[in-house]
């Protein structure tokens, strides 16, 4: 009772006493403007700091000769960038497929299947991806004994396995949410026509559930891109390990960091607009 | 009721939801070509009775048979039996991601393995039959409630069922759309379809029904021809129910 009362009060006072809509609008514009200025100032110092003609202004700004050097092909950054894209594409496909099965398992009427899927999700959401990657890359070969592990370049497979195990849990929950958002009557109508459970799922439930799951799955794919940064600990040649390489050779932190940041955004920004577009297609409905 | 063979038989059917006894020793036969209208106050078990008939709900004791085959036996081939029993729901339950034609042709293609072109042609015929020949490519969201329900009827008919179950199919409709759905059901009855109809439409019951079955509190109270039921119910419960309607 107390909480609902106070939240009601806050709402009332928010709209009547603190500020008018116009004042709020101006305030938000001021905050946004100040934030933009700060960011621009920071970027200006970062990129132009080396040219400020003041003695001992500082150092460690973007070094353009190094920038040109690390961006000149053949550059490890391009390889790393392509590696990231490659591992994301493969892991996205495998984790979505695995995730559909996890989601189906979560809504299964068979208690055993439902519990196993639940345990799977709890484990892979409940432990860090870093832990899982280490377990796969260092843990699995360790079980074979020193020198006996048959796979030579285990970095790639380990990356795909680790990312898939982890993201199948999240995708699975998105799929489960999608399935559970479909009214019970859809399954009943399909079954009433004589369609089996699998047929009904495939033809009636999943196509609808998938649309509802697309925004959540898309979000997870963006997280997947960023999660590739953790692959640096399993000696997968990706962007962070490139940064480390450059940094340890030059002790220049910002120049490679700027490159790395830009390359991540080069993947995530287009991906996010694709996800958004997919989401709006979902809302307006399919016109095959 | 007649010398026609029983198509559906309910024998001492009992159904519980937890502790609640929702169907009490139901005995009922529906003959071939019979239109059996089931009425009664809400919560009397009418819809549950229909849902047990195609095993959307399981019964706890008794037996339901379709043309002699026990539907409720544990080893019954439910998917196969359901093909022989059409069902139409109060809430239509059309597949929103498919057109009217897709809704009607899906199960024949998937379940009966009918070639797509043939199934679509048949679906077109069925949609014409329910007066929607010009809406074959419309999605459910583009149709009125009455149109959606007629698509749902066509969808059920596409499996060539031996009996059709109608579960309060006009209850979710705007009053002006009720007529078009009842008209389709009337035509079906005229063509000799065996139908079990749970409804609150007493006009329809009086006009189309061969028998009226009154249920109350999970029991089958009275089962009489409509003329008799509406003029002079044989039971007190029947009289009570009628008096509340007027």
């Amino acid at each position: 009772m107390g909480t609902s009362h106070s939240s009601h009060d806050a709402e009332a006072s928010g709209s009547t006493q603190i500020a008018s809509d116009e004042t709020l609008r101006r305030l938000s514009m001021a905050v946004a403007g100040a934030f933009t200025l700060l960011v621009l100032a920071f970027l200006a110092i970062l990129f132009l700091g080396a040219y400020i003609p003041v003695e001992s202004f500082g150092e460690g700004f973007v070094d353009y000769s190094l920038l040109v050097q690390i961006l000149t092909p053949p550059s490890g950054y391009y390889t790393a960038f392509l590696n990231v894209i490659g591992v994301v594409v493969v892991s996205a496909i495998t984790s979505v497929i695995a995730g559909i099965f996890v989601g189906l398992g979560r809504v299964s009427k068979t208690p055993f299947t439902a519990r196993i899927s639940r345990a799977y999700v709890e484990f892979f959401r409940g432990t860090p991806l870093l832990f899982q990657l280490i377990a796969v890359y260092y843990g699995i070969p360790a079980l074979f004994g020193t020198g006996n592990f048959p796979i030579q370049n285990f970095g790639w497979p380990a990356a795909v396995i680790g990312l898939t195990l982890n993201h199948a849990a999240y995708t699975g929950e998105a799929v489960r949410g999608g399935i559970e958002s479909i009214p019970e009557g859809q399954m009943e109508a399909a079954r009433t026509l004589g369609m089996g459970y699998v047929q009904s799922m495939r033809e009636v439930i999943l196509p609808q559930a998938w649309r509802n799951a697309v925004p959540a799955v898309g979000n997870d794919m963006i997280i997947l891109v960023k999660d590739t940064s953790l692959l640096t600990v399993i000696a997968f040649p990706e962007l962070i390990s490139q940064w480390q390489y450059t940094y340890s050779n030059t002790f220049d932190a910002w120049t490679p960091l700027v490159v790395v940041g830009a390359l991540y955004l080069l993947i995530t920004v287009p991906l996010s607009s694709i996800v958004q577009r997919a989401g709006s297609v979902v809302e307006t409905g399919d016109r095959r | 009721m007649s010398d026609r063979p029983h198509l559906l038989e309910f024998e001492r059917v009992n159904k519980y939801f937890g502790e609640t006894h929702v169907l009490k020793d139901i005995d009922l036969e529906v003959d071939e070509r019979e239109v059996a209208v089931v009425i009664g106050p809400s919560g009397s078990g009418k819809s549950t009775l229909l849902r047990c008939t195609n095993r959307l709900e399981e019964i706890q004791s008794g037996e339901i048979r379709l043309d002699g085959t026990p539907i409720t036996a544990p080893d019954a081939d439910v998917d196969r039996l359901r093909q022989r029993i059409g069902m139409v729901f109060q809430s239509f339950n059309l597949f929103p991601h498919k057109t009217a034609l897709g809704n009607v042709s899906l199960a024949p293609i998937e379940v009966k393995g009918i070639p797509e072109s043939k199934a679509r042609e048949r679906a077109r015929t069925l949609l014409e039959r329910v007066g929607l020949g010009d809406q074959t490519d419309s999605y459910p969201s583009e149709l009125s409630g009455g149109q959606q329900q007629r698509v749902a009827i066509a969808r059920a008919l596409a499996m060539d069922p031996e009996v059709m179950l109608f579960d309060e199919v006009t209850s979710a409709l705007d009053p002006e759309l009720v007529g078009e759905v009842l008209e389709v059901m009337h035509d079906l009855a005229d063509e000799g379809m065996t139908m079990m109809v749970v409804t609150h439409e007493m006009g329809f019951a009086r006009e189309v029904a061969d028998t009226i079955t009154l249920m109350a509190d999970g029991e089958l109270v009275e089962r009489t021809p409509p003329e008799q039921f509406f003029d002079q119910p044989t039971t007190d419960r029947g009289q009570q129910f009628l008096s509340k309607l007027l």
Side-chain angles (χ1 to χ4, degrees):
Chain A
M1 176 204 143
T3 52
S4 73
H5 189 72
S6 61
S7 75
H8 185 78
D9 276 358
E11 206 174 283
S13 61
S15 57
T16 55
Q17 287 168 7
I18 288 183
S20 70
D21 285 355
E22 181 60 16
T23 324
L24 271 178
R25 199 178 64 84
R26 285 190 187 158
L27 188 68
S28 68
M29 277 181 69
V31 171
F35 178 73
T36 311
L37 278 180
L38 271 174
V39 170
L40 287 177
F42 175 73
L43 287 177
I45 292 173
L46 197 56
F47 282 96
L48 304 172
Y51 302 97
I52 292 174
V54 177
E55 199 78 21
S56 72
F57 180 74
E59 51 185 27
F61 310 112
V62 170
D63 175 348
Y64 287 93
S65 61
L66 180 61
L67 190 63
V68 169
Q69 192 191 320
I70 63 181
L71 285 180
T72 307
S75 156
Y77 283 85
Y78 296 133
T79 321
F81 180 66
L82 293 177
N83 280 343
V84 167
I85 292 181
V87 82
V88 162
V89 168
V90 174
S91 308
I93 293 169
T94 51
S95 58
V96 165
I97 293 171
I100 289 174
F101 284 100
V102 172
L104 285 171
R106 289 284 273 127
V107 300
S108 170
K109 298 272 186 288
T110 318
F112 179 73
T113 313
R115 272 195 215 118
I116 291 291
S117 322
R118 173 85 194 275
Y120 177 88
V121 170
E122 292 296 345
F123 182 82
F124 284 99
R125 282 200 316 189
T127 56
L129 175 56
L130 193 51
F131 163 85
Q132 294 157 18
L133 288 169
I134 291 170
V136 172
Y137 185 71
Y138 294 99
I140 292 178
L143 296 176
F144 286 75
T146 317
N148 289 333
F149 191 61
I151 302 174
Q152 287 309 311
N153 297 309
F154 193 47
W156 257 92
V160 171
I161 294 169
L163 290 173
T164 301
L165 286 172
N166 183 269
H167 283 271
Y170 287 96
T171 312
E173 285 301 276
V175 170
R176 176 181 70 96
I179 292 173
E180 284 176 350
S181 69
I182 307 302
E184 187 76 16
Q186 290 290 308
M187 182 54 109
E188 288 187 351
R191 297 306 302 273
T192 297
L193 290 164
M195 294 168 70
Y197 181 81
V198 174
Q199 262 176 341
S200 307
M201 269 290 171
R202 194 185 61 218
E203 297 296 326
V204 175
I205 307 298
L206 281 180
Q208 298 180 60
W210 181 243
R211 295 180 183 193
N212 295 341
V214 159
V217 172
N219 247 336
D220 188 59
M221 293 302 112
I222 292 169
I223 295 172
L224 175 65
V225 173
K226 298 184 292 180
D227 278 351
T228 59
S229 60
L230 294 173
L231 299 176
T232 186
V233 301
I234 64 167
F236 183 93
E238 49 67 65
L239 293 166
I240 297 294
S241 48
Q242 272 306 309
W243 174 86
Q244 261 166 345
Y245 177 76
T246 309
Y247 180 69
S248 57
N249 282 325
T250 63
F251 294 107
D252 183 334
W254 273 110
T255 309
L257 209 46
V258 161
V259 173
V260 168
L263 289 176
Y264 276 122
L265 289 173
L266 205 57
I267 306 175
T268 51
V269 169
L271 186 58
S272 140
S273 86
I274 290 173
V275 168
Q276 230 157 38
R277 204 164 315 150
S280 62
V281 167
V282 168
E283 271 165 37
T284 50
D286 171 24
R287 288 286 179 279
R288 271 184 293 176
Chain B
M1 289 274 117
S2 72
D3 52 304
R4 290 181 299 199
H6 302 320
L7 187 60
L8 267 179
E9 294 164 296
F10 299 76
E11 195 181 320
R12 304 194 56 126
V13 169
N14 281 284
K15 162 82 185 162
Y16 297 83
F17 283 124
E19 297 283 291
T20 321
H21 199 172
V22 286
L23 292 178
K24 299 172 186 165
D25 269 333
I26 302 290
D27 282 306
L28 175 67
E29 288 97 30
V30 179
D31 295 339
E32 215 169 283
R33 303 174 76 85
E34 175 178 338
V35 178
V37 168
V38 185
I39 59 176
S42 38
S44 58
K46 321 177 291 282
S47 289
T48 307
L49 187 67
L50 284 196
R51 292 170 60 81
C52 290
T53 307
N54 66 2
R55 288 191 54 176
L56 286 179
E57 304 285 352
E58 298 293 332
I59 61 173
Q60 272 70 51
S61 71
E63 191 168 81
I64 306 177
R65 289 183 294 271
L66 173 65
D67 206 9
T69 313
I71 295 171
T72 47
D75 61 343
D77 186 345
V78 181
D79 288 340
R80 185 144 226 126
L81 282 162
R82 280 179 178 145
Q83 295 176 38
R84 300 166 60 187
I85 306 170
M87 183 154 184
V88 186
F89 302 88
Q90 178 177 350
S91 49
F92 326 141
N93 297 345
L94 289 185
F95 307 136
H97 60 303
K98 300 215 172 269
T99 61
L101 200 71
N103 267 275
V104 180
S105 60
L106 177 66
I109 294 169
E110 287 294 321
V111 181
K112 292 193 163 173
I114 292 173
E116 199 171 320
S117 61
K118 215 173 147 195
R120 291 173 73 85
E121 198 176 312
R122 174 86 205 291
R124 208 175 291 278
T125 314
L126 285 166
L127 285 169
E128 272 162 23
R129 183 165 153 199
V130 297
L132 292 171
D134 53 345
Q135 298 284 358
T136 52
D137 294 329
S138 302
Y139 284 83
S141 58
E142 300 166 329
L143 299 171
S144 74
Q147 291 172 324
Q148 288 190 55
Q149 196 58 295
R150 286 187 278 153
V151 174
I153 294 173
R155 178 175 70 176
L157 290 175
M159 295 302 285
D160 294 314
E162 294 160 43
V163 54
M164 287 278 284
L165 311 176
F166 293 88
D167 187 7
E168 299 198 26
V169 295
T170 56
S171 299
L173 295 176
D174 291 337
E176 73 270 22
L177 303 176
V178 168
E180 62 193 61
V181 173
L182 292 181
E183 202 178 311
V184 169
M185 291 165 68
H186 203 145
D187 290 346
L188 263 183
D190 287 347
E191 289 160 27
M193 176 60 79
T194 309
M195 296 161 62
M196 251 181 109
V197 183
V198 169
T199 187
H200 296 291
E201 296 292 333
M202 291 307 143
F204 178 82
R206 187 193 282 264
E207 205 178 329
V208 184
D210 294 310
T211 58
I212 301 283
T213 300
L214 174 66
M215 288 185 69
D217 296 327
E219 286 175 65
L220 198 157
V221 179
E222 173 162 354
R223 182 163 161 76
T224 43
E227 313 80 55
Q228 190 183 334
F229 180 82
F230 285 106
D231 292 342
Q232 193 56 258
T234 45
T235 60
D236 290 350
R237 301 289 287 272
Q239 283 167 12
Q240 262 177 30
F241 182 74
L242 267 190
S243 69
K244 276 182 195 156
L245 284 179
L246 301 173

